[in-house]
Amino acid sequence: MIKNRNYSLDLLRVIACYLVIQQHASEFYYIGEGGTVVTGSNTFWIGIITTLCRSSVPLFVMLSGFLLLPMQDKISTFFRKRFTRIVYSFIAWCVLYAGYYVLSRGDSFSQMALNILHIPVNFGCEIGHLWYIYMLIGLYLVTPIISPWLQQASKRELEGYLGLWIITTFLPYIHLVYPEVLGEAF
């Protein structure tokens, strides 16, 4: 059975990959020594470029959602296929980084063991570039829940949900007017 390849999705992947590379490469133009912010004549344009490049992660998430939904497999098959692709390599890289920190910065073996035990909670050690794995795991966990709803929801229900979601994206800006909202407290 030959599957039809969607070249538009391939192009979006290429664009998203380029945007990730561009984002990381441009950080050196606005982050200075010790994490200070670089200022200068090109600061405005650097801000525009990096802002545009930050669309890379949402592009990857939308592509994942498009390819995952609606879910075709049984839940157990879905989880087995998805999690075995990412969890084993994620754990292996976290353990390798923990070992690398023993060699490079002199962490003790007990610190290495502690870093490895922390993997289920937060990377295990300072490897922030793997943050997206936790997001991907969350996406995989929510897919079986929303897939049946998406198949049964009417167009009006989907539009209502998306409208509510758009409103929630403005919640951080509400803090400019109301410092404490939705049960938050200082």
Side-chain angles (χ1 to χ4, degrees):
M1 177 168 90
I2 298 175
K3 292 184 179 181
N4 293 332
R5 186 158 191 116
N6 189 334
Y7 293 104
S8 300
L9 296 179
D10 291 341
L11 178 62
L12 279 177
R13 282 188 193 117
V14 169
I15 291 170
C17 287
Y18 169 76
L19 290 173
V20 167
I21 294 167
Q22 179 67 38
Q23 173 63 44
H24 288 294
S26 67
E27 287 176 353
F28 296 104
Y29 291 98
Y30 65 88
I31 299 175
E33 290 293 322
T36 60
V37 177
V38 175
T39 58
S41 60
N42 294 325
T43 306
F44 175 77
W45 292 110
I46 292 167
I48 296 291
I49 292 168
T50 57
T51 300
L52 292 173
C53 292
R54 294 210 181 261
S55 65
S56 59
V57 172
L59 264 177
F60 278 122
V61 172
M62 287 186 280
L63 283 166
S64 296
F66 182 82
L67 295 170
L68 290 174
L69 296 169
M71 197 175 76
Q72 304 295 327
D73 299 324
K74 294 188 323 185
I75 292 176
S76 60
T77 307
F78 174 82
F79 283 151
R80 186 173 46 257
K81 281 171 45 176
R82 298 296 184 267
F83 283 109
T84 55
R85 288 182 186 169
I86 62 168
V87 171
Y88 296 133
S89 59
F90 175 68
I91 291 171
W93 278 106
C94 288
V95 169
L96 284 171
Y97 271 107
Y100 170 74
Y101 286 143
V102 168
L103 299 173
S104 67
R105 66 179 188 198
D107 283 4
S108 66
F109 284 103
S110 61
Q111 180 63 44
M112 178 182 164
L114 187 62
N115 287 340
I116 292 170
L117 290 174
H118 284 171
I119 290 171
V121 180
N122 190 12
F123 309 121
C125 54
E126 298 166 8
I127 46 174
H129 59 277
L130 293 180
W131 66 268
Y132 69 92
I133 296 295
Y134 293 98
M135 179 196 61
L136 194 58
I137 289 170
L139 185 63
Y140 289 165
L141 289 174
V142 79
T143 296
I145 297 168
I146 64 172
S147 185
W149 176 75
L150 285 173
Q151 289 174 333
Q152 296 175 355
S154 68
K155 181 179 179 183
R156 185 163 174 81
E157 289 171 331
L158 289 172
E159 289 170 346
Y161 177 79
L162 289 174
L164 180 63
W165 173 76
I166 287 171
I167 290 169
T168 63
T169 62
F170 290 100
L171 283 177
Y173 301 106
I174 291 174
H175 286 281
L176 299 173
V177 180
Y178 299 104
E180 298 169 357
V181 295
L182 300 175
E184 294 177 348
F186 177 70

